[in-house]
Amino acid sequence: MAAQLIYVVNGPNLNLLGRREPHIYGTQTLADIESATAASADNFGFSIDFRQSNSEGALIDWVQEADAKASGLIINPGAYTHTSIALLDALQAASIAKIELHLSNIHAREAFRRRSVTATAADGVIMGFGAAGYRLALEALKSLLEHRAATQN
């Protein structure tokens, strides 16, 4: 059986991981996280398409593309978490399994970061576990996809 494709979409400033506020986001780079996520994905029977953009429009395009091509989506919207109704609309339109992911616990951060406008469109949210959150998101997607398959039969 072919591996199920999972899109992993990362938003603005995540390209700066490893040097941007390491006391909050950790010391791993996005490339480090991509490598670890790809290895974990293989263990779950997934293949990943791992992407990052600072552009809201690109993130929206990728959510729409994921809905057409993938079984699931892990999205770390970055700062768009708190502001992007357009990204929320794209996520709501997507019928695939979706996990919102944050490296830090947004509820333990500044007041303006505590609200996620995009989370309502996700099947679940994982936050506060640093880079390990990507593996946890894959595990959650595996469970969601198995549950969906079982309820369709």
Side-chain angles (χ1 to χ4, degrees), residues 11-60:
N13 297 313
L14 290 164
N15 57 307
L16 300 176
L17 287 176
R19 62 183 199 266
R20 177 183 173 228
E21 299 180 276
H23 62 286
I24 295 173
Y25 300 111
T27 58
Q28 289 185 291
T29 66
L30 193 60
D32 295 335
I33 292 171
E34 180 178 4
S35 294
T37 303
S40 293
D42 192 51
N43 293 332
F44 289 110
F46 295 145
S47 64
I48 62 166
D49 188 327
F50 198 97
R51 302 175 180 197
Q52 187 278 328
S53 179
N54 294 321
S55 168
E56 184 179 29
L59 300 178
I60 291 165

Side-chain angles (χ1 to χ4, degrees), residues 118-129:
T118 52
T120 60
D123 294 293
V125 179
I126 295 172
M127 67 176 79
F129 295 98

